[in-house]
Each structure stands twice: as C-alpha cells, then as structure tokens.
Amino acid sequence: MNQISLLSVDGVRISYYLPNRTIRAVNGVSFEIMSNEVFGLVGESGSGKSTLSMGILRLISPPGKVDTGTIYYKDQNILLLGDEEFRQLRWKDLAYIPQGSMGALNPVMKVRDQFYDVEWDHNGSKSRKEIDERIMDLLTKVHLAANILDKYPHELSGGMKQRVCIALSMYLEPKIIIADEPTSALDVITQRAVIATLLEARQRLKASMILIGHDMAIQAQVADRIAIMYNGYIVEIGKTKDIFNDPLHLYSQHLISSVPSIQHKQNIHEIALAGLKRSTSLRQTDIPKLTEVKPGHFAAI
Amino acid sequence: MSSTPRIESKFNMLTRTPSLWLGLILLTVVILTAVFGGLFYDLDLQKAFSSSPNLPPSQAHPLGTQAEGRDMMALLIVATPATLLIGLIGGSVGVLIGTILGMSSAYFGGTFDTLIRNLVDVGLTIPPLALLIMIAASFNVVEIGMMGLVVALTSWMYPTRVIRSQVLSLRERTFTHIARLSGVSHLYIIFVELMPNLFSILAALFVNAVSVAILASIGLEVLGLGSQTQTLGRVIYYSIYYAAMWRGLWWWWLPPILILIAIFMGMFLLSTTLDEITNPRWKRAG
Amino acid sequence: MTPNNQLIEVRNLTRVFKSSGNRHSQNTAVDDASFSLRQDQSITLTIAGESGSGKSTLCMMMLGFLKPTSGNVLYKGNDIYEIKGVNFSNYRREVQAVFQDPFQAFNPFYKIDHVFTVPMHRFNIARNKLDARRLIEEALEKVLLDPSNILGKYPHQLSGGQLQRIMLARAFLLKPKILVADEAVSMIDASLRAIILDLMVDLKTEYGVSQLYITHDLSTALQISEKILILYRGSIVERGSTKDVIQNPQHPYTKLLISSIPLPDPDKKWKNEAGVDFKESSDISDKSGCKFYNRCPFAMDVCISSHPPTYQVGIDQGAACFLYDDNEIISDISI
C-alpha cells in the first residue's frame, strides 16, 4: 500500500503572550501525516498536544499566536490561507472531534438539524431526501438508532454524543479527522465502543486520523504511528510497535511504564521509585533535536 | 508557581482599578464633610429661625437659607451623617439577619430552609416601598435608630438569598468533608471554614444593603413618613412642602440631591468593583 | 450485644433519590449492598464501578455524610447514624478519607497547614506546638515531600500531585483504622500515580490501615487491593479476591468490563469486535429483575422477573447471576 504525505507540519511554534510572561506551548514541532493511517499524538497535561491540534485547525486566538512554521496540505500552506478559503477546508478536508462531547454539538438544536447545518454550511446543494438518506447511513455506521435524530444533545449519554460527533465529522467525507481525547470522561465499556466506531469510520472513508490523548494503552490498540510530546517538543516519533518494543526517549519509557497492568501484579514500589528518578532526570535535561536512531524511528536524544 | 498568597494579589488588583478609586473619593469627600464639617462651620445655624428665610447663596450663607430660616450649609452638614447612619444601621442589620438566616438555612436544610427560601422568594416580589409605607405608617417612627430598623426589614432578603446559595455550594465542597472528618462541630465549620470564603461577598452585599437602606429611607421621608431628625430626605420633603422648585429656591432642593448622587455613585462603584473581585475567576490568580 | 469481629460493616444498605420534578421517577443509587471489613486484618477492598454505579453515594453513606434510605453502616458494631459522644468521636478519628480532586480538598482561605492543625487539635494528637510541628514534618517526609517547600504555602501554590500527597500525609499522621480513597488517583497524571498508590500500600503494610479503594480503574485495583466488589447500577454483581475476579471474571458485566480494557501492547489488540457493546444501560426503573438484563448476552427469562442472589463461583469469588444457580448461595458477606 503506497502512502503519500497528506499533511506536512514543519517547525511550528505556538506561544501564549500573557501580560506578565510568555508561555511556549509548542516549541518547533515537525511531522508528517501519511494517507490512510492512524497517527497518535500523545502527551500529558502541559505537553502542547491540544494547542498543536488547535494550531492545525487555525483555532488559536489571542493571547495565543502561531509564531513560525508551515503546515502544508495539498501543496498549500494552510496557515497562510484566507479565512474563507480555510473555512471551506475545515470540515470538508479536515474534520475535528473536540475534547469532551459537549464541544461540537449545539445544545439548542436537535441532532437532525445539526446535520442539516453541516450540509448547508458547506454544500447547500443536496435535497432533503438525499441528506436524510446520508444521515441514516452514517447513523448505522456509528451504531445509533434513528430515534436519536429528534433528540437534543442533553438527552443523550456521553457515549452517544461522541458517536453523533463522529457521524457529523464523517459527513463531508474528510481526508483527515482530528480526534482530541475522544474518550475522556467515558467509562471503559463505552470507550471501547467509541474507539471501535472511530476506527470503522476512518477505514470506510480511507481517511487518516490524528488521535490525541494521554493514554498509551489506547494508542497501542489503534495507532499506526505515534508522536510523543513533552513540554512542547516531540521527543519520539515512529511506528507504534517500534516505540513499544524499544522506547528510546526517557519520557516514552516513563509513559509506557506508567500504565498499570491488568494482567499481573507488579511491584508498585519499584515502579514508583523508577518513575521519580525519571521525572527528576527529565526536568534536568534539555531536549535536543530529533534524530533518526533507527529507520523510521526518531528520538530527541 | 508564584509565591504571593491570594490575599495579596487581590489587594494589588484592587489598587489598580480606577472605578474603585473614584467611588472611594466620592464617598470620602461626603463622609469627611459630614463628620468634620461642624469644626469649620457653625452648626447652630441649622436651627429654625436662626437667620432670615429664603436667602439666596451669599458669603454669609454659602448655600443660602430655606423657608424656616435654617442655613442650608449647616442643615446639610447635620442631615448627611443622619442619612448615612440610617443607611449603616439598616444595611448592617439587614446583612446580619441575611447572613444568619442564609447560613443556617443552607447548612441545616430541612423545613427551616424551605420556610426561609419561600419567604425570601415571595418577599422579593413585593414592592419594597409599598411594604415600607405600610410599616412606617403603622408605627410612629421617632428617631433614626428606628428608621434604620424599618428599612432593614426590606434589605435582609437579598443577602439571605445570595448567602444561602453560596453556602449551599460551599457545603458540598470537599474541604468541608475533610473538616467534618477532622471531627469539628457544625458551628466550627460554619464560622471557621465557610465564613472566611464569604468575606468578599459579604463586603459587596454590605455596600449594596447600605445603598438600599438609604434609598428606602429617602423614599419614606420624602413622603413625610420619616423621623423627626434632620436627614437629607427630610430636607427634600420640606423643599417639596414649601414648593421650593416653583419658587426658584434651587439652593434648597439641588444640594441634597447632589449629595445623594455622590453617595449612590460612590456606593455603586465600590460595590461593582468588590463584585468583580468576588468573581471565582480570580480565585486562582496566583 | 455480642462483640463482633467487624471493623466496619455495611448491611443491606440502600439509597433512593427521588427526582424533584417528576413525582414518580426515582433513582436507586445503592441497592441492598452488604459487605464488611474485619478488625484483625488490614486489607484494601476495592469498590469498582463506572459512573452511575453508586460508588460515590456508597462512599458518602459510609463516611456519615448521607443518611441511608434503609440498611445500616456499623462501625465496631455501632450504627454510625445513631452513635453520639465518645463513640462518634472515635469513629470520626478512626475513619479518614482522601478524595478525587486535590484542589477542592483544601480550604483556599487557609494555608495547607490547616488540614493538619485542625484534626491534631481536635483529637489531641500532639503534646505541644513543637511536637505537633515535628509530627507534621515527619508525615510530609513520609510522602516524599520537603516540609520547607510545603508548610506555610497556600493550596493554589502547589501542584495536584503535591496536594494529594499532603492529604495522604494527613492520613499517616492521624493513623486511622480505615482510609476511604475515593478515586484518589483519577485526577493525577498517569506518571505520578504509582507514587500515590505506593504510599497507600505503605499505609496498609506499615501502619495496618485498612482501605476502601473506590475506583473505575481495574488495573490499579489489581495492583493494590486484595478484595474487590464490582458495582453495577447500585448492586454488587461480583465480589471476591481481586486476582480471581479480574483474571477469571464470572459475571457477564465483569467480563464485558475487563475485555474492554485496552492493553498497552500493540501485539495484543482488543479481541472480537463483535463483543463490543453499543447499547447503553437503559433508564427504565427496574423494580425487579437483574439490572444488566438489557445488555446481557446470556439473558434468560428468570433474569427479568427476579433479582439474582450471589452464588459461590470460586473459592473466594461470588457472582450475582442466574447462570450459576446450580451453585451455593453465599450467606456470609464478610470480606
């Protein structure tokens, strides 16, 4: 399967300019999203991963600012596009499922109307009948019953809202879906259903997906390649299997060993001490540039 | 990670707000004149028939005299503190009642809470002036202490509601649970744990209650239902009684109104600034 | 009253919340829960459940903050909602808690020292001010915090991880008989959780503090607890040794739960997609019958008409499911 590069992020730096200090949220980050892949963006709070996704979608507003860098999509630097041009891109090519299912859904509109909204905002050409057929098709794909169409978002559970968001994001058949922590605040069983739905959706569309999160276990299950962020930098990037088999950066090792095992009892004391040592080390060292340590496997060491 | 404690950073914010300064200046000028004016001006001149009546402003009488021969300047210097005192009494009693009722209602709940809650909800819909007129007309209000209490009867309801809702939310906070697990009594929790978190709201409520009390007292006095003491409202009442406006005696009705405007503006600015500060958005300003 | 061996005992505990709007709708948050901890052993019992399982309501009832609709919470044989005086003070001193959100657990008006000084004063723990200071410092060092960096600070000046450790230090200092940990690590970054869990284990092994670990995360439960209860919509559906229940679940809900947990191993993907549950629990207020009925792949007629008792399914394992009605019913619910 030949993959082409869909999105090329190069040297992006995003900062927040506050009255008494400047926060460098994203510190010169570069990576590529290939076609037909699930790309995981992993980091804990403060790593810059959400800011980065906001940057790609041009949703950064003052006091935040994209300082430098380019983001190329289809031979165009999307950071330089006009507002209207980019608005067309957003949702048609780049879909976004925000963190916390509250985000994308309009609380005072029924679900059905939200789909109509997407259609008329971007195309406006299809007939009601065509739209309805398409909606039903999408709902089946996300395993939701037709009766949810006449409900308001607050009448749906967290898992159902997320699946509606997935269906909405799929509506215009985007090339890239950015899912930001799609399962936070969902219980484990619903989480699995939502992730399964996301993967199915992506596969059908043959789209790529950027899955942003802090849970390495989920990434292991779904991502083809992973980029690990720490303090605004990417510290490791490579195929999922490569990273789990041989995590090169200290922080990657830290994240992986932080996932407690459901299969056997571990020595918590040793894990805790090792974790403390790693945290102290991490705080003290600088983060060098990424180098290709093994084919396709880069680390900032 | 900053090192300034929260109290300090709030003070810094206070000193940077221009509206607060304007409010404070207005109030200070009024209060200083009211309290110390007597040192610079002969207050005996406020007595009836101490001068010729209806004199326009001159060097001898900077604000003229009114129909009873009282010097306006002296009259206002005596009347202003009286009005402020009524406001203070009315506001304090109102907030005190509001705090006690609001806190116990929220903390202990049950039928007591239902009673208070409904009383306040209904009470707040009754036009306060109507209520006050009924009360004032039934009793013979003789001096300003009583006047203060009468206006407190309307100024306690809003603080009760505000404090009740604050305490309801504070009561469920984890730190309250931790306090209970530390074995302390309910009274301890109310006064030591919850009360300090209400200080800023109480300050804003107090300023608000004082304004409400002053306004209520003016309302009553202008209708002739006030006490015998000289207050700003009473001055205005007599200016209406003697048709000062039609007779062009502007130095009778204008100065008390200007003083009242200064007081209310000062109170309002103070209260809105304090209100901004109590907004939880500032709580993590460290 | 015959003295019994139970430290804390929850007996047929039920809590019903009536909806204020709709007169007829009510929600049974906790439904006839029974379990206990013995005085002669220090163990960690996990109360596992997703949101809506009733675990928080159960926690509030056990801490004396919420009166049950029916049933009792007995501490050393006494109903905590009836005792007064010395018995009640003892209960307050000997049952402590750590809560989910470390930022909310501190009164923002006071320095963090407040959470130590208040109970120390109330329970007469220190001889004098110097002694008190020493005890606090020791407790902070036990949780790997440097007292000079911590004492005298306000909560907003510290991180979540530090604040949670201060709460644990408070527990070390008070040396309770039981510590209730309500989602104690859920809001802590994954990389810091091990430290807090390790400290909780220390409390148990070094100071004999039994623990009730309330969580939705079965992986951490496996690491630190010996026994577990699985809660589903207010009912205990499976119980027993943590290892057995997690590695060999018997109740259909437990099986679904465990198979949904993602493994941090790209070579061990989630198995059969067909096992994914797209239905959600219904809102039908079910008076009788098993609550898991509408999601259960093994549902039978009897499940809709009666509520299953807990059957013995292993040496130290019980499941409330009619699939096992050939087995004995468990009568002794003590852990």
Side-chain angles (χ1 to χ4, degrees):
Chain A
M1 170 174 54
N2 273 336
Q3 282 182 305
I4 55 162
S5 166
L6 274 188
L7 191 75
S8 186
V9 177
D10 196 9
V12 169
R13 185 190 302 156
I14 304 175
S15 312
Y16 285 95
Y17 294 93
L18 299 175
N20 44 349
R21 59 194 163 134
T22 303
I23 303 178
R24 296 232 178 280
V26 177
N27 261 302
V29 150
S30 308
F31 61 91
E32 280 186 55
I33 306 288
M34 309 302 282
S35 56
N36 209 8
E37 79 165 345
V38 177
F39 185 83
L41 192 55
V42 188
E44 294 178 301
S45 46
S47 58
K49 59 190 196 297
S50 286
T51 309
L52 182 55
S53 67
M54 294 270 120
I56 295 174
L57 291 159
R58 287 176 44 151
L59 291 172
I60 304 273
S61 45
K65 185 169 169 292
V66 179
D67 296 322
T68 54
T70 59
I71 300 179
Y72 274 91
Y73 177 72
K74 282 186 174 164
D75 300 321
Q76 282 184 307
N77 182 356
I78 62 178
L79 290 175
L80 296 177
L81 286 178
D83 284 340
E84 186 50 38
E85 275 184 275
F86 185 75
R87 208 180 63 80
Q88 287 302 321
L89 254 189
R90 204 193 281 144
W91 220 256
K92 257 179 120 164
D93 289 69
L94 293 170
Y96 179 54
I97 302 171
Q99 183 169 22
S101 39
M102 284 309 198
L105 297 178
N106 187 332
V108 298
M109 270 168 103
K110 289 190 184 164
V111 172
R112 184 196 304 277
D113 296 324
Q114 315 231 16
F115 280 97
Y116 289 152
D117 221 28
V118 176
E119 172 68 50
W120 291 329
D121 223 25
H122 286 84
N123 279 346
S125 57
K126 296 213 175 85
S127 68
R128 268 269 159 114
K129 188 167 171 298
E130 284 178 301
I131 301 176
D132 282 341
E133 271 173 18
R134 182 137 174 72
I135 295 177
M136 281 317 304
D137 179 47
L138 284 171
L139 282 184
T140 327
K141 291 191 172 125
V142 298
H143 308 274
L144 282 173
N147 66 359
I148 60 111
L149 283 172
D150 290 306
K151 296 212 165 136
Y152 287 93
H154 69 264
E155 296 177 275
L156 304 174
S157 72
M160 287 174 168
K161 278 190 282 210
Q162 272 307 66
R163 283 184 273 155
V164 168
C165 286
I166 294 173
L168 278 171
S169 74
M170 282 167 61
Y171 188 85
L172 293 171
E173 301 187 329
K175 308 282 185 305
I176 303 180
I177 302 173
I178 301 180
D180 191 349
E181 305 259 19
T183 57
S184 68
L186 293 179
D187 64 69
V188 145
I189 297 175
T190 313
Q191 173 176 266
R192 186 175 175 197
V194 168
I195 296 280
T197 312
L198 259 180
L199 291 181
E200 268 180 66
R202 181 205 83 75
Q203 259 169 341
R204 268 185 239 267
L205 289 172
K206 302 236 188 314
S208 288
M209 180 159 76
I210 303 179
L211 182 64
I212 303 171
H214 60 270
D215 187 344
M216 280 303 265
I218 302 233
Q219 300 289 351
Q221 295 293 315
V222 310
D224 300 310
R225 285 194 306 138
I226 297 179
I228 297 178
M229 284 189 76
Y230 176 71
N231 252 348
Y233 294 95
I234 291 186
V235 295
E236 191 156 349
I237 185 168
K239 291 217 195 78
T240 310
K241 285 201 182 176
D242 291 341
I243 293 187
F244 274 90
N245 284 337
D246 184 20
L248 296 169
H249 194 273
L250 198 58
Y251 186 64
S252 317
Q253 294 161 10
H254 194 54
L255 277 184
I256 293 174
S257 39
S258 300
V259 183
S261 169
I262 187 67
Q263 297 180 305
H264 53 263
K265 222 167 143 125
Q266 301 162 302
N267 186 328
I268 295 292
H269 188 65
E270 273 175 24
I271 295 179
L273 285 181
L276 264 178
K277 262 177 55 192
R278 268 188 244 113
S279 305
T280 331
S281 264
L282 280 168
R283 265 195 293 270
Q284 290 164 346
T285 50
D286 284 323
I287 301 175
K289 271 193 154 14
L290 282 174
T291 48
E292 190 162 12
V293 178
K294 292 181 186 175
H297 190 170
F298 300 73
I301 45 177
Chain B
M1 212 158 33
S2 100
S3 54
T4 36
R6 200 180 114 234
I7 317 279
E8 262 179 50
S9 72
K10 273 193 175 179
F11 186 70
N12 284 335
M13 232 167 44
L14 270 174
T15 53
R16 271 188 260 139
T17 327
S19 54
L20 178 70
W21 280 119
L22 183 59
L24 278 177
I25 289 171
L26 280 171
L27 280 178
T28 316
V29 165
V30 169
I31 294 175
L32 284 178
T33 323
V35 173
F36 296 111
L39 298 173
F40 301 100
Y41 204 83
D42 183 7
L43 291 182
D44 276 342
L45 290 174
Q46 66 92 8
K47 291 201 187 117
F49 306 113
S50 57
S51 328
S52 304
N54 302 326
L55 294 175
S58 62
Q59 202 164 21
H61 300 284
L63 284 175
T65 61
Q66 39 90 284
E68 291 161 335
R70 300 180 199 266
D71 175 279
M72 276 307 298
M73 188 78 177
L75 189 56
L76 289 174
I77 293 178
V78 168
T80 309
T83 300
L84 289 173
L85 197 59
I86 294 175
L88 220 64
I89 296 175
S92 317
V93 172
V95 170
L96 193 65
I97 297 177
T99 307
I100 295 173
L101 286 182
M103 289 194 99
S104 31
S105 175
Y107 195 81
F108 295 109
T111 32
F112 180 64
D113 179 37
T114 317
L115 184 69
I116 298 294
R117 188 167 31 105
N118 286 316
L119 198 62
V120 168
D121 283 346
V122 167
L124 281 172
T125 60
I126 301 176
L129 201 58
L131 193 62
L132 285 169
I133 291 175
M134 278 192 339
I135 298 171
S138 323
F139 300 100
N140 197 6
V141 181
V142 175
E143 39 85 47
I144 57 176
M146 262 192 85
M147 190 60 171
L149 289 176
V150 168
V151 299
L153 284 167
T154 50
S155 71
W156 68 270
M157 289 187 280
Y158 180 68
T160 307
R161 172 184 274 182
V162 171
I163 290 174
R164 178 181 171 274
S165 68
Q166 279 294 106
V167 173
L168 273 180
S169 91
L170 283 174
R171 190 184 63 164
E172 297 309 315
R173 295 267 287 272
T174 314
F175 68 77
T176 310
H177 293 321
I178 295 283
R180 287 181 74 175
L181 292 174
S182 298
V184 293
S185 65
H186 291 301
L187 274 175
Y188 182 96
I189 292 179
I190 290 178
F191 285 107
V192 179
E193 299 283 336
L194 302 183
M195 187 82 92
N197 286 292
L198 293 174
F199 283 158
S200 30
I201 280 221
L202 283 174
L205 280 173
F206 175 71
V207 171
N208 181 271
V210 168
S211 314
V212 165
I214 293 179
L215 198 58
S217 72
I218 305 283
L220 286 176
E221 286 157 357
V222 158
L223 292 171
L225 291 167
S227 64
Q228 298 300 314
T229 325
Q230 292 294 350
T231 62
L232 291 173
R234 195 175 163 81
V235 170
I236 296 175
Y237 170 68
Y238 276 113
S239 79
I240 299 173
Y241 186 83
Y242 284 106
M245 218 181 262
W246 306 123
R247 294 159 65 187
L249 306 173
W250 58 268
W251 55 90
W252 196 347
W253 53 266
L254 191 57
I257 289 178
L258 288 177
I259 295 177
L260 283 171
I261 290 177
I263 294 177
F264 282 121
M265 264 187 76
M267 291 261 149
F268 176 73
L269 289 171
L270 198 61
S271 139
T272 46
T273 317
L274 284 175
D275 222 36
E276 256 178 54
I277 295 173
T278 62
N279 189 316
R281 141 174 77 93
W282 292 109
K283 284 218 163 74
R284 300 269 172 84
Chain C
M1 172 107 93
T2 48
N4 68 29
N5 194 21
Q6 311 296 4
L7 183 56
I8 192 165
E9 189 180 343
V10 165
R11 255 195 220 158
N12 305 108
L13 203 57
T14 303
R15 186 63 164 104
V16 179
F17 289 105
K18 289 201 175 33
S19 172
S20 52
N22 187 345
R23 200 65 62 80
H24 294 287
S25 88
Q26 60 182 34
N27 170 34
T28 308
V30 176
D31 196 350
D32 199 27
S34 300
F35 60 90
S36 65
L37 288 179
R38 289 176 22 200
Q39 294 207 43
D40 56 356
Q41 45 173 220
S42 15
I43 64 159
T44 299
L45 168 66
T46 296
I47 299 175
E50 306 278 275
S51 58
S53 61
K55 57 189 196 308
S56 311
T57 310
L58 190 53
C59 174
M60 291 288 122
M61 286 196 283
M62 287 192 294
L63 288 174
F65 295 151
L66 183 65
K67 266 191 116 157
T69 311
S70 66
N72 316 89
V73 178
L74 304 171
Y75 182 69
K76 289 183 176 169
N78 300 315
D79 185 328
I80 63 170
Y81 288 97
E82 313 256 302
I83 51 175
K84 299 188 197 338
V86 172
N87 279 334
F88 188 71
S89 303
N90 284 342
Y91 163 69
R92 273 284 168 249
R93 162 136 193 208
E94 293 169 9
V95 177
Q96 291 297 327
V98 176
F99 295 100
Q100 180 173 15
D101 188 346
F103 289 102
Q104 297 278 331
F106 290 82
N107 189 332
F109 189 79
Y110 294 105
K111 300 184 180 143
I112 60 97
D113 312 41
H114 188 69
V115 301
F116 293 110
T117 51
V118 172
M120 284 180 79
H121 182 254
R122 178 68 182 82
F123 298 131
N124 282 321
I125 292 181
R127 285 186 299 259
N128 51 49
K129 272 219 159 101
L130 215 59
D131 191 33
R133 175 97 188 183
R134 180 185 61 84
L135 286 170
I136 297 176
E137 285 175 358
E138 271 175 19
L140 285 172
E141 279 157 10
K142 193 91 189 71
V143 298
L144 309 173
L145 286 173
D146 179 0
S148 58
N149 276 344
I150 303 289
L151 289 173
K153 291 236 165 94
Y154 285 91
H156 72 274
Q157 296 174 277
L158 301 170
S159 73
Q162 287 172 313
L163 290 174
Q164 202 67 314
R165 277 187 277 166
I166 294 173
M167 272 299 154
L168 275 177
R170 180 181 172 281
F172 272 104
L173 197 150
L174 296 177
K175 299 203 183 32
K177 296 266 185 305
I178 298 178
L179 179 71
V180 177
D182 187 1
E183 303 271 17
V185 293
S186 305
M187 281 184 140
I188 309 288
D189 272 344
S191 50
L192 297 173
R193 283 182 196 165
I195 299 170
I196 305 227
L197 293 171
D198 186 37
L199 289 169
M200 285 168 60
V201 171
D202 271 352
L203 253 182
K204 176 175 58 180
T205 53
E206 283 179 44
Y207 296 87
V209 178
S210 282
Q211 287 160 42
L212 286 162
Y213 178 56
I214 300 171
T215 185
H216 63 277
D217 181 354
L218 292 178
S219 314
T220 52
L222 179 64
Q223 302 307 325
I224 67 165
S225 67
E226 292 84 9
K227 308 273 184 169
I228 190 167
L229 303 172
I230 307 275
L231 269 183
Y232 179 72
R233 294 187 56 200
S235 300
I236 299 175
V237 297
E238 190 154 0
R239 56 202 298 155
S241 115
T242 312
K243 192 160 171 296
D244 292 343
V245 169
I246 289 184
Q247 291 175 345
N248 189 20
Q250 296 300 307
H251 193 284
Y253 172 67
T254 321
K255 289 187 189 176
L256 180 60
L257 201 52
I258 302 219
S259 66
S260 301
I261 297 174
L263 294 171
D265 186 341
D267 292 322
K268 297 204 187 134
K269 301 267 186 198
W270 273 313
K271 299 189 196 94
N272 60 330
E273 293 300 343
V276 185
D277 179 39
F278 290 108
K279 291 187 239 89
E280 316 235 341
S281 47
S282 72
D283 301 309
I284 310 170
S285 113
D286 30 10
K287 294 267 164 70
S288 59
C290 178
K291 293 179 177 146
F292 194 60
Y293 180 75
N294 68 321
R295 293 168 81 182
C296 186
F298 307 101
M300 308 177 280
D301 285 334
V302 62
C303 304
I304 204 175
S305 57
S306 8
H307 193 82
T310 307
Y311 297 101
Q312 189 101 32
V313 294
I315 302 171
D316 186 9
Q317 196 173 352
C321 179
F322 284 119
L323 281 174
Y324 306 103
D325 64 359
D326 284 338
N327 301 26
E328 299 249 332
I329 294 180
I330 294 183
S331 49
D332 175 18
I333 45 79
S334 68
I335 301 286

